[in-house]
Amino acid sequence: MPHPSTPNSPSPLILGLNPIHPDAAAALVGPGGIIAAIAEERLTRQKHSASFPSHAAREVCRIAGVTLADVTDVALAHDPSANLNAKVAFLSTHPAF
């Protein structure tokens, strides 16, 4: 597949995933900005889902009318210190995690 910046190549379509901690989510971003975004918990009905956001990834593609084969790049969120206080508070009230 040609690089998105070369002539005659498809526009970049980026699938962003937040699979690292509770509140897993996926977003699809194109040249014009955010196309679709959804939290995994909206689809699984499991609050603060920490599972890999596979349902959310499929749903943002469905909303956009594309398949995973159309995605040119994947971005993963990873900042272990992000929302650290909220994570500690959540874990202290949910020891089963």
Side-chain angles (χ1 to χ4, degrees):
M1 175 186 300
H3 188 275
S5 64
T6 61
N8 302 322
S9 67
S11 295
L13 192 59
I14 303 164
L15 176 63
L17 300 173
N18 182 23
I20 306 301
H21 59 82
D23 300 326
L28 196 63
V29 180
I34 297 172
I35 298 168
I38 193 164
E40 186 75 0
E41 72 180 31
R42 296 291 183 182
L43 303 166
T44 63
R45 302 294 188 221
Q46 178 185 0
K47 291 295 286 178
H48 304 295
S49 175
S51 63
F52 186 83
S54 58
H55 296 94
R58 282 193 294 273
E59 183 63 9
V60 296
C61 286
R62 186 196 67 76
I63 291 168
V66 300
T67 68
L68 285 176
D70 298 316
V71 172
T72 59
D73 299 285
V74 176
L76 296 175
H78 182 63
D79 182 357
S81 63
N83 303 313
L84 187 58
N85 291 338
K87 291 175 191 176
V88 170
F90 177 82
L91 289 174
S92 69
T93 59
H94 296 80
F97 270 95

